[in-house]
Amino acid sequence: LQHLLALRDPFYGQSGLYNSLYENMLTIDSISLHNGTAGIILSGSAFSRGTCDDPRIEGQIAQTVLAVPGVSNVVIILNGMQIGDQRGPNFFPETGFGISLPFVLFWERNGGIPVFGYPISQQLFEGGYRVQYVERQRFEHHPTNSAPYDVLLGLLGTQVAQSQGLLSAPAFAYQQPNNNNANCEYFEATGHHLCYGFQSYWHNHGLDFGDPGYSYRESLHLFGYPISEEFVMNGRTVQYFERARFEWHPQNSPPWDILLGRLGVEVHPWP
């Protein structure tokens, strides 16, 4: 890659093949490999000469990396966003970060700031995937999945509960169904109940898969299953889900009396 980026001839070698990177001013910040996927983090400018050069630039870098034995996939991040992103980032001065492809459309379509909060990181390479942290979540790009499942949400509720040693607490223990309360529903998959205001909130929010209203699958993909019962933590009633933490704020007027915990900040501290 260093050799490729150092070439200054627009037509390279005896074949005279066009080199779209001849005017680049790129720096390789880091390279990592995870299960056959190489993450290439670059900064600087590629000096594209137009829309035809954009895929050439990405292709030259990707094909150079794919020539390395053991590499089957390449993720390229330039200046904290997907290389070749013509849309540009939605920049938020509140945190100093922007959201760009492949996450910005998902962020806009599924709730934006009220659901996910502001971006708190650039795009990163973690666990073999392109990711970006927002205040309440982690977006993960899974390019082998068909839309709308190509962008998934991290299991931050489970991750935070585990890191805080909560999974062994009584509220997280598997429960038997309580059939005496009509205001609750039971999730056999995790052995927990969902009741009252939290139940209403869960069913009235979800990802946009095109279903009428908010379907069960849309709510499930946004929050996941409950992994605890309601309990009091730091003086506040909360409940953990695979991808979220619901918090009751009785001093707020509806609909702001139920808020989502800032799990993204807890996993990826900012500032």
Side-chain angles (χ1 to χ4, degrees):
L1 278 179
Q2 289 176 334
H3 178 72
L4 172 66
L5 299 181
L7 296 175
R8 291 294 175 257
D9 190 339
F11 299 99
Y12 179 69
Q14 293 181 346
S15 64
L17 290 174
Y18 174 61
N19 171 27
S20 59
L21 283 159
Y22 74 98
E23 292 181 297
N24 86 89
M25 295 185 64
L26 294 173
T27 299
I28 303 172
D29 293 336
S30 67
I31 298 176
S32 55
L33 183 64
H34 188 278
N35 293 335
T37 297
I40 312 299
I41 312 298
L42 304 172
S43 59
S45 175
F47 283 108
S48 170
R49 288 186 170 272
T51 56
C52 290
D53 262 1
D54 293 336
R56 292 170 180 156
I57 289 170
E58 183 173 5
Q60 280 187 259
I61 296 172
Q63 291 302 317
T64 299
V65 179
L66 287 170
V68 177
V71 176
S72 57
N73 184 42
V74 182
V75 170
I76 306 170
I77 299 173
L78 173 59
N79 297 326
M81 53 184 161
Q82 179 176 337
I83 190 169
D85 179 4
Q86 295 302 300
R87 181 187 177 96
N90 284 352
F91 182 79
F92 295 94
E94 292 85 352
T95 58
F97 294 100
I99 299 181
S100 63
L101 296 174
F103 301 126
V104 63
L105 299 180
F106 179 92
W107 182 87
E108 291 176 344
R109 185 175 184 180
N110 292 293
I113 292 173
V115 173
F116 300 118
Y118 292 107
I120 59 170
S121 80
Q122 295 183 330
Q123 290 192 21
L124 306 168
F125 181 73
E126 290 184 358
Y129 298 102
R130 182 194 309 274
V131 306
Q132 184 167 17
Y133 284 88
V134 292
E135 289 179 285
R136 298 181 178 94
Q137 251 303 339
R138 179 181 63 233
F139 296 162
E140 303 175 353
H141 184 223
H142 294 252
T144 57
N145 294 353
S146 300
Y149 304 107
D150 53 334
V151 175
L152 300 178
L153 300 176
L155 298 174
L156 295 195
T158 301
Q159 185 175 340
V160 168
Q162 183 176 28
S163 69
Q164 295 178 349
L166 295 174
L167 295 182
S168 59
F172 288 79
Y174 192 93
Q175 307 286 317
Q176 296 299 320
N178 179 5
N179 298 321
N180 297 323
N181 192 339
N183 295 302
C184 295
E185 65 181 293
Y186 180 72
F187 290 81
E188 187 175 358
T190 54
H192 289 289
H193 300 85
L194 183 58
C195 305
Y196 299 103
F198 285 172
Q199 179 190 33
S200 177
Y201 190 93
W202 194 92
H203 282 288
N204 284 286
H205 295 80
L207 300 184
D208 184 2
F209 291 162
D211 299 344
Y214 289 108
S215 68
Y216 181 90
R217 68 165 184 156
E218 290 174 328
S219 299
L220 184 64
H221 277 82
L222 177 58
F223 301 126
Y225 291 110
I227 59 172
S228 79
E229 302 292 294
E230 291 185 14
F231 67 102
V232 176
M233 183 176 69
N234 298 325
R236 191 176 306 284
T237 299
V238 303
Q239 185 169 9
Y240 275 79
F241 299 79
E242 291 174 303
R243 299 183 174 93
R245 181 179 66 230
F246 289 6
E247 301 176 353
W248 184 41
H249 294 253
Q251 74 279 8
N252 295 348
S253 298
W256 309 111
D257 55 335
I258 296 177
L259 300 176
L260 298 177
R262 298 172 76 234
L263 300 183
V265 175
E266 295 181 32
V267 173
H268 187 85
W270 173 90

